Amino acid sequence: MPDHDPERPGPDARRQASGRSSDHRLTDGLEHGADGPGPARSLVEAYVYLDLVAPGGSEQVAVADGDEGWLVGAGGVEVLVPYEAEEAARQSEATFGTGLSALLDPGQWVLVSATYASRALEGGLLLAEDPSDPEGLDAVAADWSFAADAVAEALKFVPEGDVGADGPDLESFWTEMGRSARDAAPGRFTRAKLESDLAFYRQSLADLHRLHAD
């Protein structure tokens, strides 16, 4: 593999999936899903994907330069993150990348968003006991932000321009994990529910900043 190009931005630890320690894996309470068909749109999405499908998640991740992008691997699963896709994600400040995901389906994105929201609620309780903890505040803020960004990814699967669409098409749930999530609670995947969750997560983040403003 070629040496890293000094003009090309390297992997940024701040953009790894959760920014949290390995005892807070996304796979807690979730089953592994089926492999997705395409490359990741960002390093963050690659880490989230590995947490869902790789044995052991992203705890033992390895990142190497390839011809067209970074090869991010763990547990025998390898994901390509094209350099141009990561650069577009950074320029657009899109956490998981621009465009539509080819790795995670809307069911998985809803599960991911719920996981981050659960962390944020748990972290908020701990923060209430010690409001002066800056690391705790940053962690809760990051979790609310990731929860919002993840459910926004699920909303991308709602057909554009179709005001009558009540949620993502059934065909967009291509993984066993995603289909199981939808079959278990189809009401979680309506347009109204997804938009409501997005508004709640964003408002929770705004309230957090307001309550802890200097």
Side-chain angles (χ1 to χ4, degrees):
M1 294 181 183
D3 293 334
H4 178 66
D5 184 345
E7 297 300 321
R8 182 186 300 140
D12 186 346
R14 293 172 299 176
R15 291 182 52 79
Q16 293 179 5
S18 66
R20 304 289 290 276
S21 58
S22 60
D23 59 338
H24 291 280
R25 285 178 49 212
L26 286 174
T27 45
D28 293 347
L30 301 180
E31 296 179 356
H32 293 312
D35 288 351
R41 299 164 298 155
S42 70
L43 288 164
V44 179
E45 184 178 45
Y47 274 79
V48 169
Y49 177 69
L50 291 173
D51 263 338
L52 291 176
V53 306
S58 63
E59 295 179 9
Q60 302 297 322
V61 70
V63 182
D65 279 336
D67 292 333
E68 300 180 356
W70 289 292
L71 299 175
V72 184
V77 180
E78 192 170 71
V79 184
L80 172 67
V81 184
Y83 299 124
E84 292 182 358
E86 171 65 13
E87 180 62 22
R90 295 189 187 190
Q91 291 182 355
S92 302
E93 297 184 352
T95 301
F96 299 111
T98 60
L100 196 65
S101 177
L103 282 180
L104 280 73
D105 70 14
Q108 291 174 303
W109 282 119
V110 167
L111 292 175
V112 169
S113 70
T115 299
Y116 280 118
S118 178
R119 290 184 191 176
L121 290 169
E122 179 183 353
L125 293 175
L126 297 175
L127 188 62
E129 297 177 0
D130 183 11
S132 63
D133 178 13
E135 292 185 0
L137 176 60
D138 289 344
V140 174
D143 284 337
W144 280 128
S145 179
F146 271 70
D149 290 342
V151 79
E153 290 295 329
L155 271 167
K156 289 182 180 180
F157 286 89
V158 178
E160 293 184 9
D162 186 352
V163 295
D166 194 34
D169 292 334
L170 292 179
E171 293 77 10
S172 65
F173 295 84
W174 68 75
T175 69
E176 181 179 351
M177 180 189 290
R179 288 191 297 268
S180 295
R182 188 191 183 282
D183 291 345
R188 298 177 67 183
F189 297 92
T190 65
R191 183 200 298 266
K193 174 59 174 172
L194 294 174
E195 291 177 345
S196 175
D197 286 345
L198 178 59
F200 175 73
Y201 298 152
R202 287 177 172 171
Q203 186 60 53
S204 296
L205 178 60
D207 290 343
L208 179 72
H209 289 311
R210 175 177 54 81
L211 290 172
H212 294 274
D214 293 335

